[in-house]
Amino acid sequence: MDEKKELLKEIEELLNKYNDTLEIGPYVLEYLSCEDLESIKANIIKKQETVISDNSQWLQQFKTKEK
């Protein structure tokens, strides 16, 4: 159960990277396995990496060209 609590904490930290008001109820630990939590964590990390990449590409259009 401690491993599940730690994974839940890591997931909350990832989700709160940009918004620090999210809190996941501990009751979800009853329904999710460690594998489920690991998968959720991996998906969040993957989505955050994609957002960073997408934003970088979008921001490039505003980059001024040197003369």
Side-chain angles (χ1 to χ4, degrees), residues 4-67:
K4 289 169 90 173
K5 286 181 182 178
E6 183 61 32
L7 285 167
L8 186 64
K9 181 181 174 190
E10 290 173 9
I11 290 168
E12 283 182 342
E13 288 172 358
L14 286 168
L15 291 173
N16 287 325
K17 195 172 196 174
Y18 305 106
N19 180 4
D20 61 349
T21 60
L22 179 70
E23 188 174 317
I24 301 171
Y27 65 88
V28 300
L29 298 177
E30 294 178 36
Y31 303 102
L32 298 173
S33 67
C34 285
E35 292 81 21
D36 294 331
L37 294 167
E38 292 277 359
S39 177
I40 290 168
K41 179 181 166 185
N43 285 330
I44 292 169
I45 291 170
K46 184 177 179 180
K47 286 191 181 275
Q48 286 180 346
E49 290 171 352
T50 302
V51 167
I52 291 169
S53 173
D54 291 348
N55 285 341
S56 176
Q57 292 172 3
W58 178 78
L59 288 170
Q60 289 300 316
Q61 70 181 333
F62 299 108
K63 191 174 182 178
T64 58
K65 295 180 182 177
E66 293 185 30
K67 292 184 180 184

